[in-house]
Amino acid sequence: MTFPKISQSYTDPHRYPEGVAFLDAQYLKMRDAKVSVLDWGFLHSDATYDTVHVWDGAFFRLDLHLNRFFEGLAKLRMTIPFDRDEVTEILKNCVALSGHRKAYVEMICTRGGSPSFSRDPREATNRFMAFAVPYASVANADQMKRGLDVAISDVQRIPPKSVDPSIKNYHWLDLVRGLYDAYDKGAETALILDTNGNIAEGPGFNVFVVSEGALITPDFGVLPGITRRTVFDLCDRLDIGVSVGAVSTDALTGADEVFVTSTAGGIMPVRSVDAVQIGSGEPGPVTTQIKELYWKMHYHPEWTTPVAYPEGI
Amino acid sequence: MTFPKISQSYTDPHRYPEGVAFLDAQYLKMRDAKVSVLDWGFLHSDATYDTVHVWDGAFFRLDLHLNRFFEGLAKLRMTIPFDRDEVTEILKNCVALSGHRKAYVEMICTRGGSPSFSRDPREATNRFMAFAVPYASVANADQMKRGLDVAISDVQRIPPKSVDPSIKNYHWLDLVRGLYDAYDKGAETALILDTNGNIAEGPGFNVFVVSEGALITPDFGVLPGITRRTVFDLCDRLDIGVSVGAVSTDALTGADEVFVTSTAGGIMPVRSVDAVQIGSGEPGPVTTQIKELYWKMHYHPEWTTPVAYPEGI
């Protein structure tokens, strides 16, 4: 009987996007940023994270993302050896070293592990990591222009009694199932339901409905998204009414305009839901107005944190 | 302004249990088995897995674990380039190369990723991996002898309408929250509830109640555990009645005996629930009888698959 040999080191055959990561006090090329398969952040998805973007060399609303990340850590009883200023410094370094002027930046804390592989989370050493890769969007350029085709899946978003949605987390199997349901219907992305049968959210985004000039967005069981929060702030500046509450599937398909919001893409119009055309079938005036101010605010000092880049990068 | 340097390679300061892993056609020391932080198995917990144990050099009920794993793959629409025989071969190699006669063996498939970091799961290349580390138990030797102290948390297990529990998955934040709730009450582990307020399961285990000589175990919203299934088979051989159905918290605390089941530990007695003593406060006769047959069956050819080890290991 012959046995295979144990390799002296791992050769990774996969290709990764260009970027820089921070892990265990080291800055690394994206392809070198790896976690042990034994980390409970992987084996139990026992982790929280936040994603912030950089646009033309400046973070957008970094403070809000840091707030949510540190609140998530406390709720999961995780600790990291860095304070807000130090995390900011790490994120800035990842972006600066990557050279990306438009970046998708993620900070993560996993439960980590212990050398004994103990199942007691109190015995694990929590692990902080971060990375910067090129800016990503839920909607591609064409979809941004014409609006997304969305389908509603009857999958229920994991309810708050199971997992606190204010802790930004990686429990996505409901959302992934929703995505495949949407693909099966010929749509491009999905919205899934809350436990009352109303619309909750989609894979990585919140949803807004525009009816008679005012906005409403679901509140129960959804991630309190920073872009969602930003829409509230933009509506305040634009004097557009916005409220939170139950959004039925009928309210969605009968809306004048629908858009979804995410750090990955910002304000993204929806042109159809379950093959029903929304409004005129073109991105509507309210969506467009909010989207324009959203991007304009990326140059406002109050909402941005500039990154200094090394010379020549 | 000075910037940190990008390290040419990653130096991992952490210690890991001894073992052998399989990843990208390579057998690796456990400490070298790592996944990219960009793998959707990590960032979206978009993965399924199964855990089988090896006892005195033989897998226990490997067929049942392989069935569940391949069913999970199909339900998540994942594909791997290995059939059952090839996965068996890989698992055997991991165990043989590790030298562990008592091993905890995990097979995993993640959604993987694409070089473009696409969010479309259909564009990802799924990744199969496996590892063998020393056998682990939910209950330590002392707890096995005297019984576990369990507390009921009011956290609800992620419901089937959100995530199909028959797909073995890493969505554990509800269970981890249950664990911390239990620790806060001075207990050693937790049971959490289903959406009807009945007992569901605990972190990595199913639960059985013994009343008037017969067994009952929850059925709604729980992982169909292989050790749970094994208890059904053992009860058949022992002529003990066993049924599935709702188990209220009162039924649990009023039971003659309570035990929990997991590949990690087998049949594990419970001595108290929410500080209420169960039965005599000692592992009961039915629990003991089932536990003894459980371990005896680890030497029965029908339920075991021997591993051949290299000479001298």
Side-chain angles (χ1 to χ4, degrees):
Chain A
M1 178 126 193
T2 58
F3 294 92
K5 291 261 179 280
I6 297 176
S7 305
Q8 282 313 299
S9 62
Y10 168 56
T11 305
D12 187 344
H14 305 286
R15 284 172 51 231
Y16 300 99
E18 291 292 317
V20 170
F22 174 86
L23 183 61
D24 291 317
Q26 298 158 66
Y27 289 91
L28 301 162
K29 282 181 221 144
M30 209 55 235
R31 61 173 291 110
D32 294 326
K34 300 198 171 78
V35 291
S36 169
V37 297
L38 299 181
D39 191 305
W40 296 119
F42 179 61
L43 293 186
H44 288 167
S45 198
D46 191 357
T48 187
Y49 75 109
D50 220 289
T51 302
V52 56
H53 69 283
V54 166
W55 197 255
D56 276 353
F59 287 100
F60 188 63
R61 311 207 86 179
L62 178 59
D63 276 358
L64 298 182
H65 290 280
L66 289 172
N67 288 348
R68 188 171 59 182
F69 181 63
F70 277 93
E71 283 162 18
L73 290 179
K75 287 173 188 164
L76 290 180
R77 305 205 203 176
M78 290 179 180
T79 53
I80 60 172
F82 307 110
D83 63 18
R84 283 175 71 100
D85 288 347
E86 289 165 326
V87 168
T88 301
E89 184 71 19
I90 290 166
L91 300 179
K92 282 183 174 176
N93 282 335
C94 288
V95 174
L97 293 173
S98 79
H100 296 318
R101 262 62 179 179
K102 293 177 180 173
Y104 179 90
V105 185
E106 193 155 332
M107 61 199 102
I108 304 169
C109 184
T110 71
R111 187 69 62 188
S114 66
S116 69
F117 199 39
S118 161
R119 294 168 155 258
D120 185 336
R122 296 170 299 181
E123 292 174 9
T125 305
N126 306 157
R127 296 181 71 182
F128 173 81
M129 56 197 83
F131 64 81
V133 291
Y135 182 75
S137 173
V138 169
N140 62 32
D142 178 49
Q143 291 165 339
M144 284 298 285
K145 203 168 161 184
R146 59 154 165 91
L148 286 156
D149 293 320
V150 176
I152 299 169
S153 162
D154 62 359
V155 173
Q156 282 185 1
R157 186 70 178 113
I158 294 170
K161 283 182 181 173
S162 296
V163 178
D164 177 351
S166 74
I167 303 168
K168 197 166 162 73
N169 66 76
Y170 291 135
H171 287 36
W172 268 55
L173 281 181
D174 49 351
L175 296 164
V176 172
R177 165 68 191 281
L179 265 180
Y180 277 101
D181 286 350
Y183 297 147
D184 288 346
K185 292 179 184 172
E188 295 165 332
T189 192
L191 284 164
I192 69 174
L193 304 177
D194 68 18
T195 46
N196 301 316
N198 292 310
I199 302 294
E201 61 190 340
F205 52 79
N206 295 113
V207 62
F208 284 80
V209 161
V210 184
S211 288
E212 297 176 5
L215 273 62
I216 183 165
T217 188
D219 202 38
F220 173 67
V222 303
L223 174 79
I226 304 297
T227 313
R228 175 177 178 270
R229 154 75 189 272
T230 295
V231 170
F232 300 160
D233 296 335
L234 296 172
C235 284
D236 195 40
R237 287 170 184 251
L238 291 167
D239 207 21
I240 294 171
V242 59
S243 60
V244 300
V247 174
S248 67
T249 58
D250 285 350
L252 193 68
T253 49
D256 299 328
E257 303 176 31
V258 174
F259 62 86
V260 300
T261 61
S262 172
T263 290
I267 315 294
M268 297 171 277
V270 170
R271 73 170 176 188
S272 75
V273 174
D274 282 347
V276 176
Q277 179 181 300
I278 302 299
S280 66
E282 307 262 314
V286 178
T287 303
T288 303
Q289 196 184 6
I290 292 169
K291 184 180 156 191
E292 284 173 359
L293 184 56
Y294 173 80
W295 288 108
K296 198 175 156 194
M297 289 300 290
H298 281 65
Y299 302 93
H300 195 297
E302 205 182 300
W303 285 7
T304 53
T305 308
V307 176
Y309 291 81
E311 272 182 60
I313 284 192
Chain B
M1 179 127 192
T2 58
F3 293 92
K5 290 259 179 282
I6 298 176
S7 304
Q8 282 313 301
S9 63
Y10 168 55
T11 306
D12 186 343
H14 304 286
R15 284 172 50 230
Y16 299 99
E18 292 292 317
V20 170
F22 174 86
L23 184 61
D24 291 317
Q26 299 158 67
Y27 289 91
L28 301 162
K29 283 181 221 143
M30 208 57 236
R31 62 171 293 111
D32 294 327
K34 300 199 171 77
V35 291
S36 167
V37 298
L38 299 181
D39 191 305
W40 296 119
F42 179 60
L43 292 186
H44 288 167
S45 197
D46 191 358
T48 187
Y49 75 109
D50 221 290
T51 302
V52 56
H53 68 284
V54 165
W55 196 255
D56 276 354
F59 285 100
F60 188 63
R61 311 208 84 180
L62 178 59
D63 276 359
L64 299 182
H65 290 281
L66 289 172
N67 289 348
R68 189 171 58 183
F69 180 63
F70 277 92
E71 283 161 21
L73 290 178
K75 287 173 188 166
L76 291 180
R77 306 206 204 174
M78 291 180 181
T79 53
I80 60 172
F82 307 111
D83 63 19
R84 283 174 70 101
D85 287 347
E86 290 166 325
V87 168
T88 300
E89 183 72 17
I90 290 166
L91 299 179
K92 281 183 174 176
N93 281 335
C94 286
V95 175
L97 294 173
S98 79
H100 296 316
R101 263 62 181 179
K102 293 177 180 172
Y104 179 91
V105 184
E106 194 154 330
M107 62 200 99
I108 304 169
C109 185
T110 70
R111 187 69 62 190
S114 68
S116 68
F117 198 40
S118 161
R119 293 168 156 256
D120 185 335
R122 295 170 299 181
E123 293 175 8
T125 305
N126 305 157
R127 297 181 69 182
F128 173 81
M129 55 198 84
F131 64 81
V133 291
Y135 181 75
S137 174
V138 169
N140 63 31
D142 179 49
Q143 291 165 338
M144 283 299 284
K145 202 167 163 186
R146 60 156 166 89
L148 286 156
D149 293 321
V150 176
I152 300 169
S153 163
D154 63 359
V155 173
Q156 281 184 1
R157 186 69 179 114
I158 293 169
K161 283 182 182 173
S162 297
V163 179
D164 178 351
S166 74
I167 304 168
K168 197 167 162 76
N169 66 75
Y170 291 135
H171 287 34
W172 268 54
L173 280 181
D174 50 350
L175 296 164
V176 172
R177 165 67 190 282
L179 264 180
Y180 276 101
D181 285 350
Y183 298 148
D184 288 346
K185 292 179 181 172
E188 295 165 332
T189 191
L191 284 164
I192 71 174
L193 304 177
D194 68 19
T195 45
N196 301 315
N198 292 309
I199 301 294
E201 60 191 340
F205 54 78
N206 294 115
V207 62
F208 284 81
V209 161
V210 185
S211 288
E212 297 175 4
L215 272 61
I216 183 165
T217 189
D219 202 37
F220 173 66
V222 303
L223 173 79
I226 305 296
T227 313
R228 175 177 177 270
R229 152 78 187 272
T230 295
V231 170
F232 300 160
D233 296 335
L234 296 172
C235 283
D236 195 40
R237 286 169 186 251
L238 291 167
D239 207 20
I240 294 170
V242 61
S243 60
V244 301
V247 174
S248 67
T249 58
D250 285 351
L252 192 69
T253 50
D256 298 329
E257 303 176 30
V258 174
F259 61 87
V260 299
T261 60
S262 172
T263 290
I267 315 294
M268 297 171 276
V270 170
R271 74 170 176 187
S272 75
V273 174
D274 282 346
V276 175
Q277 179 182 299
I278 302 300
S280 67
E282 307 262 312
V286 177
T287 304
T288 303
Q289 195 184 5
I290 292 168
K291 184 180 156 190
E292 284 173 358
L293 184 57
Y294 173 80
W295 287 108
K296 198 175 156 191
M297 290 300 289
H298 282 66
Y299 301 93
H300 194 297
E302 205 181 303
W303 285 8
T304 53
T305 308
V307 176
Y309 291 82
E311 273 182 61
I313 284 192

